[in-house]
Amino acid sequence: MINISNYIQKINNNNKKALSIFLTAGFPTKKDFVDIAKNVLNSGADMLEIGIPFSDPLADGPVIQYSSQVALENKINLDDVFEICSEISNYTDKPLILMGYANPIIKYGTKKFCKNSVDTGVSGLIVPDVPLEEFDSFYNQDFSQLQKILLTTPTSSNERIKMIDEKSEGFVYCVSVTGTTGVRNTFDETTFKNLKRTYTTLERNKMMIGFGISNSENVKSFIPYCDGVIVGSAVIKMILEKKEMNEINSFISNLSKACKL
Amino acid sequence: MKNLKYNFPDKFGKYGIYGGKYVPETLISALQELEQLYLDVKNDIDFLSELESLQKEYNGRPTPLTFAKRLTEYFGKAKIYLKREDLCHTGAHKLNNALGQILLAKKLGKKRIIAETGAGQHGVATATVCAKFGLQCIVYMGEVDIERQKLNVFRMKMLGAEVVPVSSGSKTLKDATNEAIRDWVTNVSDTHYIIGSVVGPHPYPMIVRDFQSVIGKETREQILSRENKLPDYIIACVGGGSNAIGIFYPFINDEKVKLIGVEAAGYGVDTNKHCATLTLGEPGIFQGMKTYLLQDENGQIAEVHSVSAGLDYPGVGPEHSLLKDIQRVKYESATDDEALVATLFLSKHEGILPALESAHAVSHLHKLMPQTNEDEIVVVNISGRGDKDLNTIINQIGDKIL
């Protein structure tokens, strides 16, 4: 297991914000996923978030919903996800983070889930439908070896942000806007005010911003208020549109350049 | 059940291990705000009298408790009474909740109302209260349900609501609910989500139960004044479970009153085309709550089936999960065919055309009545009327009627 917080700190020490890329496991196929993930890592992604497909992803917009549906049609289950993790962690020293909804995890069994995560080189876990209120009911002792990453949103009060900062490990995932995942064309002033507020309120954790980030300009506008950014739907959309691998690679490498201070 | 002091949910919104708030962080502040407001007004005399007056003058409450004479004679056993939620304004119990929630939305200062709907009855109820109070209304509805409940789609549009077709997943109630939650996550600052059943994150299952409990409170008074005793059995259909909890809740502590929830068995509980969540499901986390679910071996939510759009849901209210575990309510099921037969049965014996949902409860009489005695009383909750289902009924059994 990699200490994600220290890892981000090292990147920041080199005058750079961290770049995390989200991909849905098994999309567009199990094999292509692994190829794309390796390319994404080679092109400058500092971390990989691997989405566990779910039939009812209620925090996700149409693009990730669709990728999830395709992955399920490809019969991807958690055993496949762990095979994928194992293959990628053999390939890279960068952190892997799993992101998935609560139900498939409890159905798989939390003990087995956590053991397989650790064994296949997963460092962190994000469960978007487990907020602070359900933290203790969901994260039993089985999860002790995984860094549990919590989310803040524009509707989180400063008091809540502090409580989230207390519980979160690895980093705090700051959701840029209210809404589901997916590309946004513009971000308004309120968004930046909220990012600044969240960034200054956090005391313990690194902060990564996600949701809606789709290009280098977005990244540049966000980097004063964070330690890193997360891009998901924009990449998945390129895969969906059957863009060439080198086009995806240059997209990632541009994002990575934009992360430099 | 003995000596159980029934007092749920607890302060964390849990019904035993069930319930809770399994939602994205964005919604937490809105749920907290709603809960606080509800706790402030639930015993407030002005709020309650405004709601009561709407229930009386607009919704037509109290609804009758009708003695089903010919049905009683047919079985020759216990006396059968029907609680007539089909006589509510808009044709089902759904308005009981929509009226309560629209008052909450007004107090929250929310101008935009969203809802999900399966059979369309909750969509119609929400569109109705939005029209009455002059608020914008958006209803999410699965494409499959839009097709089989066309009449209600027209009604919602006539009432000024926007009906948004949902094409994801099974294109039914669960997918409409996902889409409504996504809308709420996006527009939470100016939008109130009127959930139509006792499902979703806390405080919804509690609020919807409390607003629907008017059914059971009236039933209790009516049966006591007619028979001078409580009923021996109460039967209600269970999809999400709002009409059932509404009639059960005021009797929960009366241990002698046997409560029976009837789920939709679709093509049969031995097939994979049913919605018998409590009969065949297992606990999981879905749409904001921990509750019994129908799911596959990988924890993916199952695609379920019922002829009745209002019961076509793979989850169930978390309080029903608790009531099953503590064995306070017995959960049974009825197939599509049994419900269709029961629809005609009630129509021909009592002149009451029940909704296909309610017909599942009626159908259970065939199993229950032989075990009853002449000095006992059975109450069946007729949660809605069946006019909305004519298309489905014609398609399914039209040739048998003609």
Side-chain angles (χ1 to χ4, degrees):
Chain A
M1 188 181 74
I2 299 163
N3 181 312
I4 304 169
S5 178
N6 291 348
Y7 178 83
I8 296 172
Q9 183 61 53
K10 268 187 216 154
I11 293 168
N12 293 162
N13 288 346
N14 289 327
N15 291 322
K16 194 175 170 295
K17 304 293 181 179
L19 173 66
S20 180
I21 299 294
F22 172 94
L23 296 170
T24 303
F27 173 79
T29 65
K30 194 171 165 183
K31 186 185 165 296
D32 288 346
F33 172 89
V34 175
D35 290 344
I36 294 167
K38 288 177 181 173
N39 272 284
V40 161
L41 288 163
N42 290 338
S43 305
D46 298 304
M47 296 188 248
L48 207 57
E49 274 171 42
I50 299 176
I52 303 166
F54 183 46
S55 54
D56 295 78
L58 52 76
D60 287 303
V63 171
I64 294 179
Q65 280 178 51
Y66 180 77
S67 67
S68 204
Q69 199 186 319
V70 171
L72 291 176
E73 281 161 13
N74 293 340
K75 306 263 181 245
I76 299 296
N77 61 26
L78 269 165
D79 289 330
D80 298 303
V81 172
F82 289 123
E83 271 178 39
I84 284 171
C85 290
S86 171
E87 194 167 338
I88 294 170
S89 63
N90 284 333
Y91 179 81
T92 184
D93 292 331
K94 296 173 178 177
L96 299 187
I97 295 160
L98 280 178
M99 183 160 188
Y101 292 84
N103 200 53
I105 296 173
I106 54 174
K107 175 72 182 172
Y108 193 74
T110 54
K111 196 167 184 176
K112 188 173 152 201
F113 176 87
C114 296
K115 185 183 183 302
N116 288 353
S117 296
V118 173
D119 289 351
T120 59
V122 173
S123 299
L125 175 64
I126 305 170
V127 185
D129 54 350
V130 174
L132 213 45
E133 278 68 12
E134 304 301 340
F135 188 94
D136 293 334
S137 346
F138 185 82
Y139 293 115
N140 57 34
Q141 72 281 5
D142 295 340
F143 292 90
S144 61
Q145 296 302 306
L146 288 171
Q147 293 162 73
K148 297 167 277 293
I149 296 153
L150 298 187
L151 301 94
T152 65
T153 67
T155 60
S156 313
S157 64
N158 287 346
E159 195 192 347
R160 269 187 83 80
I161 292 171
K162 282 183 184 147
M163 286 154 70
I164 288 165
D165 193 23
E166 269 308 302
K167 293 263 188 189
S168 198
E169 299 164 294
F171 60 87
V172 163
Y173 190 133
C174 173
V175 175
S176 62
V177 288
T178 59
T180 53
T181 56
V183 170
R184 307 293 196 278
N185 290 321
T186 51
F187 293 92
D188 60 13
E189 218 170 289
T190 333
T191 305
F192 291 99
K193 252 165 81 183
N194 262 312
L195 296 175
K196 203 187 253 178
R197 173 179 72 97
T198 310
Y199 196 42
T200 50
T201 306
L202 294 175
E203 287 171 359
R204 294 179 61 241
N205 275 289
K206 292 284 177 186
M207 177 177 123
M208 303 275 291
I209 303 175
F211 279 42
I213 303 173
S214 62
N215 55 44
S216 304
E217 284 68 47
N218 295 156
V219 173
K220 281 179 191 153
S221 66
F222 282 175
I223 57 177
Y225 316 113
C226 67
D227 303 302
V229 293
I230 303 160
V231 179
S233 297
V235 185
I236 292 179
K237 200 156 165 265
M238 292 181 84
I239 302 169
L240 204 77
E241 290 165 354
K242 304 206 187 314
K243 295 271 195 282
E244 296 291 327
M245 199 60 239
N246 56 18
E247 211 175 322
I248 297 174
N249 287 341
S250 72
F251 178 69
I252 303 291
S253 99
N254 283 335
L255 292 176
S256 173
K257 278 177 205 146
C259 285
K260 285 186 183 135
L261 295 177
Chain B
M1 194 56 210
K2 239 192 165 127
N3 297 325
L4 174 77
K5 221 173 150 202
Y6 192 88
N7 186 19
F8 294 98
D10 65 18
K11 64 176 176 171
F12 303 109
K14 299 280 168 91
Y15 304 81
I17 62 164
Y18 303 108
K21 285 182 188 165
Y22 292 91
V23 290
E25 169 71 14
T26 310
L27 296 181
I28 293 290
S29 64
L31 292 171
Q32 285 173 340
E33 185 189 24
L34 177 63
E35 182 177 3
Q36 194 50 56
L37 170 79
Y38 179 68
L39 294 176
D40 289 346
V41 302
K42 69 179 257 193
N43 296 316
D44 177 76
I45 291 169
D46 291 341
F47 178 83
L48 292 176
S49 66
E50 187 179 6
L51 180 58
E52 201 185 317
S53 141
L54 281 166
Q55 296 289 17
K56 190 176 162 195
E57 307 295 337
Y58 190 68
N59 195 8
R61 302 207 72 90
T63 58
L65 184 71
T66 305
F67 175 57
K69 185 162 178 287
R70 291 194 63 217
L71 224 52
T72 302
E73 284 166 7
Y74 175 90
F75 290 107
K77 293 279 192 172
K79 279 187 176 174
I80 301 169
Y81 282 89
L82 307 173
K83 180 59 176 166
R84 302 293 306 282
E85 293 302 296
D86 58 311
L87 294 177
C88 284
H89 177 42
T90 73
H93 70 293
K94 294 294 185 188
L95 197 66
N96 302 335
N97 166 50
L99 280 171
Q101 285 209 46
I102 200 79
L103 294 184
L104 295 178
K106 274 182 60 186
K107 284 193 181 288
L108 290 166
K110 301 284 171 88
K111 302 272 181 270
R112 185 174 174 273
I113 302 295
I114 57 170
E116 84 295 336
T117 199
Q121 287 305 117
H122 174 57
V124 167
T126 306
T128 298
V129 296
C130 286
K132 180 160 176 59
F133 287 90
L135 298 175
Q136 188 191 356
C137 181
I138 294 116
V139 180
Y140 289 91
M141 189 168 187
E143 283 180 347
V144 168
D145 292 338
I146 287 182
E147 191 50 41
R148 59 180 164 176
Q149 304 286 341
K150 262 188 194 145
L151 282 175
N152 274 342
V153 176
F154 276 105
R155 286 171 79 193
M156 286 184 268
K157 289 186 176 172
M158 285 171 66
L159 291 159
E162 182 190 344
V163 179
V164 182
V166 176
S167 59
S168 55
S170 56
K171 305 179 178 59
T172 57
L173 180 55
K174 91 169 167 76
D175 310 286
T177 305
N178 285 338
E179 219 46 59
I181 294 174
R182 289 183 186 118
D183 179 314
W184 202 32
V185 171
T186 309
N187 301 299
V188 64
S189 63
D190 69 344
T191 299
H192 177 64
Y193 177 18
I194 301 191
I195 291 188
S197 191
V198 285
V199 298
H202 180 67
Y204 279 105
M206 171 180 76
I207 291 178
V208 178
R209 174 196 72 194
D210 291 356
F211 288 146
Q212 291 294 1
S213 292
V214 66
I215 306 172
K217 282 180 203 151
E218 286 176 9
T219 303
R220 198 184 173 90
E221 282 172 25
Q222 288 164 326
I223 202 75
L224 283 173
S225 85
R226 293 278 279 278
E227 296 280 351
N228 211 16
K229 65 172 197 168
L230 293 177
D232 297 280
Y233 298 91
I234 300 176
I235 312 174
C237 66
V238 178
S242 70
N243 88 83
I245 213 84
I247 195 164
F248 292 165
Y249 189 63
F251 295 94
I252 290 261
N253 288 316
D254 302 301
E255 288 177 44
K256 287 193 175 143
V257 181
K258 297 175 198 72
L259 307 173
I260 302 168
V262 184
E263 299 191 297
Y267 296 149
V269 289
D270 50 351
T271 71
N272 60 1
K273 296 278 179 197
H274 61 78
C275 310
T277 309
L278 290 161
T279 311
L280 293 166
E282 58 187 320
I285 294 170
F286 177 56
Q287 293 185 338
M289 56 185 168
K290 183 176 247 186
T291 192
Y292 276 81
L293 295 178
L294 291 170
Q295 51 182 315
D296 71 8
E297 69 278 11
N298 295 313
Q300 309 297 343
I301 306 306
E303 298 214 348
V304 295
H305 162 82
S306 169
V307 69
S308 106
L311 303 182
D312 203 345
Y313 185 67
V316 65
E319 190 159 16
H320 285 291
S321 294
L322 173 70
L323 292 169
K324 172 194 160 78
D325 283 4
I326 63 173
Q327 299 181 344
R328 177 63 190 97
V329 179
K330 205 169 168 209
Y331 294 91
E332 306 279 356
S333 64
T335 62
D336 286 356
D337 288 346
E338 287 168 333
L340 286 161
V341 167
T343 304
L344 298 185
F345 177 68
L346 189 66
S347 300
K348 289 189 171 161
H349 282 86
E350 293 292 340
I352 296 168
L353 168 59
L356 283 175
E357 290 77 13
S358 323
H360 285 75
V362 175
S363 155
H364 191 67
L365 287 172
H366 294 288
K367 292 169 194 160
L368 174 70
M369 293 312 289
Q371 309 163 28
T372 63
N373 303 315
E374 282 166 41
D375 58 352
E376 291 184 314
I377 298 167
V378 176
V379 174
V380 185
N381 196 18
I382 306 300
S383 55
R385 69 175 186 227
D387 308 50
K388 71 180 173 63
D389 295 316
L390 286 179
N391 276 337
T392 308
I393 294 168
I394 291 165
N395 289 337
Q396 297 275 339
I397 52 169
D399 52 335
K400 285 179 197 154
I401 298 170
L402 292 173

